[in-house]
Amino acid sequence: MTATSAEFAIDDPVYVKPGLPEAKDLEGRVGAVIGFEDADRRWVVVLFDKQFSGRPDRGWLFTPGHLEHAHVRQQAA
């Protein structure tokens, strides 16, 4: 099943799944959801501690399929 941005809420801790070459340095990191882009919430904006993007909000854009709730990841470990 493909994740959708509706599964995420502001302040949710999220884990970046492996396999995204453009964000190799963020792979496996946990950040917090700080917003959504586009009217249909196609992009999730995630903020990481000490790893800022060039955007005014300093967040990084991800499609929902590249993210997982951090608590789900911790339970699987």
Side-chain angles (χ1 to χ4, degrees):
M1 184 173 138
T2 303
T4 66
S5 61
E7 296 176 31
F8 301 102
I10 300 296
D11 294 329
D12 276 355
V14 292
Y15 166 85
V16 180
K17 294 179 182 178
L20 189 61
E22 299 87 0
K24 196 83 171 145
D25 56 333
L26 297 174
E27 213 173 79
R29 301 255 336 251
V30 174
V33 175
I34 61 168
F36 303 94
E37 292 277 319
D38 292 342
D40 59 0
R41 294 170 46 129
R42 195 175 2 198
W43 298 95
V44 180
V45 185
V46 180
L47 184 64
F48 297 92
D49 187 36
K50 299 178 185 167
Q51 186 89 27
F52 306 124
S53 72
R55 293 168 42 95
D57 61 12
R58 303 184 305 180
W60 297 84
L61 293 178
F62 290 93
T63 58
H66 287 106
L67 300 172
E68 183 174 34
H69 283 99
H71 66 85
V72 171
R73 187 69 177 170
Q74 290 169 345
Q75 289 173 354

